[in-house]
């Protein structure tokens, strides 16, 4: 049996329904914010053989990519039993925290008074440390040639960023990993922040190759890496090339825009 409802009553029911839905949506958003937690670490290592990265914090959300055992991921926050993460391939999503081990960056040792005194006048030492090796100079020239062809200004070496690139490259060799996220220092953005370097934009390219031209060609044939090299927003860089028993050479280039 159908019940006949007057127009005024129908309008009242419709208005009440809209109010209820609005209140439900508003409350749902407000309640969701309570589950957000800041963390005291920003790097994790995947412990599962295959870890699904989902579009939201729950198994009802679709899988957008996968991370694999011993892969490092950047962790932004925790929502319930899920971490909000960024993978090496730049996918951002959520993973179950039960399958991720937190990695805490190693704290720098406190310097003694004598060590502090030695670092007061280190401008010349820093300059010497930032002098490019032949491999680094050659690789930078190859990259700046690509920028010149594209009508962009050449990248300028920033001494402090250069030092960070070398630390990251050597850490990759010593740690036997290949990732944008260091288990020791975190992401390149963490390193820039921890070393007190200010910037407007930043990015990083890494490569394992036996030759300088091979590394640059590989970058130029990759959409994401090429975008970093030909990004007009970047003005300065640090570029490290270190020997690697596995690849021949490890390349780390950090870009910043001031």
């Amino acid at each position: 049996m159908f019940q006949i409802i007057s127009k005024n009553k129908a309008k009242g029911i419709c208005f009440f329904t809209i109010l209820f839905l609005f209140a439900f949506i508003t409350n749902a958003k407000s309640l969701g914010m309570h589950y957000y937690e800041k963390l005291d670490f920003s790097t994790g290592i995947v412990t599962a053989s295959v870890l699904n990265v989902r579009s939201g914090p729950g198994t009802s959300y679709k899988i957008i990519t996968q991370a694999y055992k011993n892969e490092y991921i950047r962790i932004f926050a925790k929502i319930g039993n899920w971490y909000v993460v960024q993978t090496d391939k730049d996918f951002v999503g959520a993973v179950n925290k039960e399958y991720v081990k937190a990695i805490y960056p190693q704290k720098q040792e406190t310097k003694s008074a004598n060590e502090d005194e030695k670092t007061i006048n280190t401008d010349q030492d820093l300059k010497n440390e930032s002098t490019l090796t032949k491999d680094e100079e050659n690789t930078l020239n190859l990259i700046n040639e690509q920028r010149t062809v594209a009508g962009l200004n050449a990248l300028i070496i920033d001494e402090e960023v250069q030092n960070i690139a070398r630390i990251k490259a050597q850490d990759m060799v010593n740690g036997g990993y290949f990732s944008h996220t260091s288990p020791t220092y975190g992401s390149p953005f963490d390193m820039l922040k921890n070393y007190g370097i200010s910037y407007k934009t930043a990015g990083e390219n890494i490569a394992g190759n036996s030759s300088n031209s091979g590394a640059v060609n590989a970058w130029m044939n990759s959409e994401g890496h090429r975008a970093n090299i030909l990004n007009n927003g970047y003005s300065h860089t640090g570029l490290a090339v270190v020997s690697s028993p596995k690849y021949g050479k490890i390349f780390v280039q950090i870009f910043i825009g001031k």
Side-chain angles (χ1 to χ4, degrees):
M1 178 182 293
F2 294 96
Q3 183 179 5
I4 299 176
I5 302 175
S6 66
K7 290 184 177 180
N8 289 335
K9 187 174 182 181
K11 288 181 179 178
I13 294 173
C14 181
F15 179 71
F16 174 79
T17 302
I18 293 173
L19 282 179
F20 175 79
L21 289 174
F22 177 78
F24 176 79
I25 293 171
T26 303
N27 288 336
K29 287 183 178 179
S30 298
L31 289 172
M33 295 299 291
H34 291 297
Y35 292 100
Y36 175 92
E37 295 181 36
K38 291 184 177 180
L39 303 169
D40 58 352
F41 60 91
S42 61
T43 303
I45 185 170
V46 177
T47 58
S49 297
V50 180
L51 179 60
N52 292 329
V53 181
R54 298 180 179 272
S55 60
T59 55
S60 61
Y61 291 90
K62 67 178 182 180
I63 299 171
I64 57 176
T65 189
Q66 292 178 320
Y68 300 92
K69 191 170 185 177
N70 296 328
E71 181 178 334
Y72 293 102
I73 55 178
R74 188 182 188 192
I75 301 176
F76 297 102
K78 185 166 78 75
I79 301 177
N81 200 42
W82 295 75
Y83 286 142
V84 180
V85 305
Q86 179 184 25
T87 70
D88 266 354
K89 295 181 180 179
D90 277 343
F91 285 97
V92 176
V95 299
N96 191 310
K97 76 178 189 67
E98 299 300 324
Y99 305 106
V100 177
K101 178 182 178 182
I103 302 294
Y104 292 86
Q106 296 177 358
K107 295 182 179 179
Q108 296 182 355
E109 295 182 359
T110 305
K111 296 181 179 179
S112 65
N114 291 335
E115 288 177 325
D116 287 334
E117 185 177 349
K118 290 178 182 178
T119 59
I120 294 176
N121 297 314
T122 58
D123 289 343
Q124 187 60 43
D125 292 337
L126 182 59
K127 184 175 181 180
N128 291 336
E129 289 179 3
S130 298
T131 301
L132 298 183
T133 65
K134 290 182 178 180
D135 278 334
E136 291 166 348
E137 184 176 5
N138 176 243
T139 305
L140 180 62
N141 288 339
L142 291 173
I143 287 169
N144 279 334
E145 285 175 8
Q146 296 290 341
R147 288 177 63 89
T148 299
V149 170
L152 304 175
N153 292 329
L155 293 169
I156 301 170
I157 287 292
D158 180 287
E159 294 180 348
E160 292 178 316
V161 179
Q162 176 67 20
N163 186 43
I164 292 176
R166 284 178 174 164
I167 292 173
K168 171 64 178 293
Q170 193 60 55
D171 185 58
M172 287 174 65
V173 173
N174 294 344
Y177 69 92
F178 188 85
S179 170
H180 287 292
T181 304
S182 162
T184 308
Y185 303 102
S187 72
F189 313 106
D190 294 327
M191 293 186 73
L192 290 170
K193 178 182 178 181
N194 293 336
Y195 281 86
I197 297 175
S198 59
Y199 59 90
K200 292 181 180 178
T201 57
E204 179 188 68
N205 282 353
I206 60 175
N209 206 292
S210 59
S211 70
N212 304 335
S213 60
V216 176
N217 288 337
W219 282 340
M220 291 302 295
N221 288 323
S222 166
E223 183 179 353
H225 296 90
R226 182 174 65 252
N228 275 339
I229 291 174
L230 301 182
N231 189 332
N232 195 35
Y234 294 145
S235 56
H236 293 72
T237 189
L239 196 157
V241 183
V242 300
S243 297
S244 164
K246 183 174 182 179
Y247 300 101
K249 300 174 186 178
I250 283 289
F251 300 77
V252 172
Q253 182 169 20
I254 299 176
F255 307 82
I256 66 168
K258 295 186 177 182

